Amino acid sequence: MDIKLTLKSNNKSIEITKDTYYKLVRIEGIERAQLELNLVDNAHYDGSFLISKRIRNRPISITVDYKGLNKEIERKKLISFLNPKNKGVLIVNYAETEKAIEYEIEDFNCPLTNIHDDLTFTVDLICTNPYWSDITKNKVEIALWKGMFHFPLIIPKNEGIIMGLKQPSLIVNIENKGDVETGMIIEFRAKGTLSNPSLFNVNTRESIKINKSMVAGEVIRVNTNYGEKRIDNILNGITTNILNLIDLGGGDTFLQLGVGDNLLRYDADTNPSNLEINIYFSPKYLGV
């Protein structure tokens, strides 16, 4: 099996690959998601009614042989590294793709051995967020300035040159290549004074708007990811929680990116030309 695993926790890591002393024996739970259905029976009809469905926590079990020296020393290191009080990240490199998932340790079994035996251990992980993600976040920039300055530099007399040109479009398409919808981090960046920045999803007709004036250099960062929702204002190195300034009118919500294309339009009540937006997101995958 040409697969590489990396377990990361507390700024330490263990690599499990054919090129290290850690050799993978078995891994289960990385390729499928467990679905839970909420069904209701009706005495007068065949079958049942589907009320809801959800993806359950993802259990992952990994069995490894350690084939290096100093087995008891290594065993003590493993006990410390796989401390159930610590959470970590599992990275799987398979078929030229790399995916990551956060985990908690549910069980760890590493029996005592004699000097002639391999050191074999099994660690059972539980992932409360069952989705895999890319290693790095995708970044999309809206309303950027395009540099026009280049060499050789020729400045026509009495005409001058254009040093930069702002992209004219207020709308950008973001493709979510994952298997389910995902949240994002939206950064409203002010290049000058403006008021009440907003982002509108053309597909779903949903929007998010912050009722606040902004000055040059100010940033409003909105996190719409599940379990991480917050709105921060950053100015002169000071970060302030401004969740209370979200506009609650018009059905505003913490926008999500649906699977496939998402047309997003930015705006501001005043001076929208002074607004730039960065969007960061991680597609979510059902399996590796």
Side-chain angles (χ1 to χ4, degrees):
M1 183 187 301
D2 190 11
I3 184 173
K4 175 182 175 181
L5 307 180
T6 304
L7 292 164
K8 292 187 174 183
S9 180
N10 280 3
N11 297 318
K12 297 180 181 179
S13 64
I14 290 178
E15 289 189 356
I16 303 168
T17 174
K18 63 181 181 180
D19 298 321
T20 67
Y21 289 124
Y22 289 102
K23 308 297 180 183
L24 180 64
V25 176
R26 177 180 57 84
I27 183 168
E28 297 178 349
I30 65 173
E31 74 289 343
R32 65 185 178 89
Q34 298 181 352
L35 183 66
E36 180 179 290
L37 300 179
N38 181 11
L39 303 174
V40 174
D41 293 332
N42 189 308
H44 301 287
Y45 297 94
D46 296 331
S48 57
F49 295 102
L50 175 63
I51 302 300
S52 63
K53 52 186 174 181
R54 70 183 187 95
I55 303 295
R56 299 173 59 187
N57 296 338
R58 179 185 297 271
I60 297 177
S61 181
I62 304 171
T63 300
V64 177
D65 281 344
Y66 173 74
K67 296 185 177 295
L69 302 175
N70 302 318
K71 294 182 178 63
E72 276 308 306
I73 295 177
E74 198 66 25
R75 181 174 175 274
K76 292 177 181 178
K77 290 181 180 178
L78 286 168
I79 292 173
S80 176
F81 178 79
L82 297 171
N83 184 339
K85 289 286 188 179
N86 302 332
K87 62 182 180 180
V89 175
L90 170 64
I91 299 173
V92 176
N93 188 312
Y94 178 66
E96 299 182 352
T97 63
E98 212 169 35
K99 297 288 184 289
I101 195 168
E102 294 183 347
Y103 68 78
E104 302 280 351
I105 295 174
E106 191 171 40
D107 194 17
F108 171 62
N109 184 21
C110 188
L112 295 169
T113 64
N114 62 53
I115 193 171
H116 302 293
D117 295 333
D118 290 335
L119 175 65
T120 300
F121 68 90
T122 297
V123 57
D124 294 323
L125 312 176
I126 190 72
C127 306
T128 55
N129 180 347
Y131 299 110
W132 296 88
S133 64
D134 294 327
I135 301 300
T136 57
K137 290 183 181 294
N138 291 283
K139 179 181 179 181
V140 177
E141 301 168 317
I142 310 177
L144 286 183
W145 286 87
K146 179 181 179 182
M148 305 296 289
F149 185 86
H150 60 82
F151 289 100
L153 179 63
I154 300 175
I155 303 177
K157 188 176 181 179
N158 300 324
E159 293 184 21
I161 63 171
I162 297 175
M163 304 298 290
L165 181 66
K166 191 169 186 179
Q167 305 289 3
S169 177
L170 300 179
I171 296 179
V172 66
N173 181 57
I174 298 180
E175 183 182 7
N176 174 13
K177 296 182 179 180
D179 299 320
V180 296
E181 71 175 17
T182 186
M184 54 186 153
I185 295 175
I186 307 164
E187 285 186 348
F188 297 103
R189 293 182 168 270
K191 297 301 179 181
T193 58
L194 61 97
S195 64
N196 307 339
S198 63
L199 190 65
F200 177 71
N201 188 319
V202 177
N203 304 81
T204 64
R205 316 304 294 177
E206 296 174 323
S207 65
I208 188 164
K209 182 177 182 180
I210 312 301
N211 291 326
K212 187 182 187 306
S213 297
M214 300 180 70
V215 298
E218 188 172 358
V219 177
I220 294 177
R221 182 177 294 135
V222 182
N223 191 335
T224 75
N225 288 287
Y226 178 75
E228 303 175 15
K229 295 177 179 178
R230 63 181 292 121
I231 303 175
D232 289 328
N233 177 257
I234 305 167
L235 182 62
N236 298 326
I238 300 175
T239 300
T240 307
N241 189 326
I242 57 168
L243 183 63
N244 60 306
L245 297 183
I246 187 172
D247 191 323
L248 298 178
D252 293 81
T253 184
F254 281 85
L255 297 179
Q256 302 290 298
L257 294 174
V259 177
D261 293 330
N262 296 264
L263 289 177
L264 301 179
R265 184 184 189 277
Y266 79 92
D267 202 356
D269 286 355
T270 61
N271 300 327
S273 60
N274 287 335
L275 179 62
E276 291 186 357
I277 297 181
N278 293 332
I279 294 177
Y280 304 86
F281 70 100
S282 294
K284 297 176 181 177
Y285 306 93
L286 292 171
V288 174

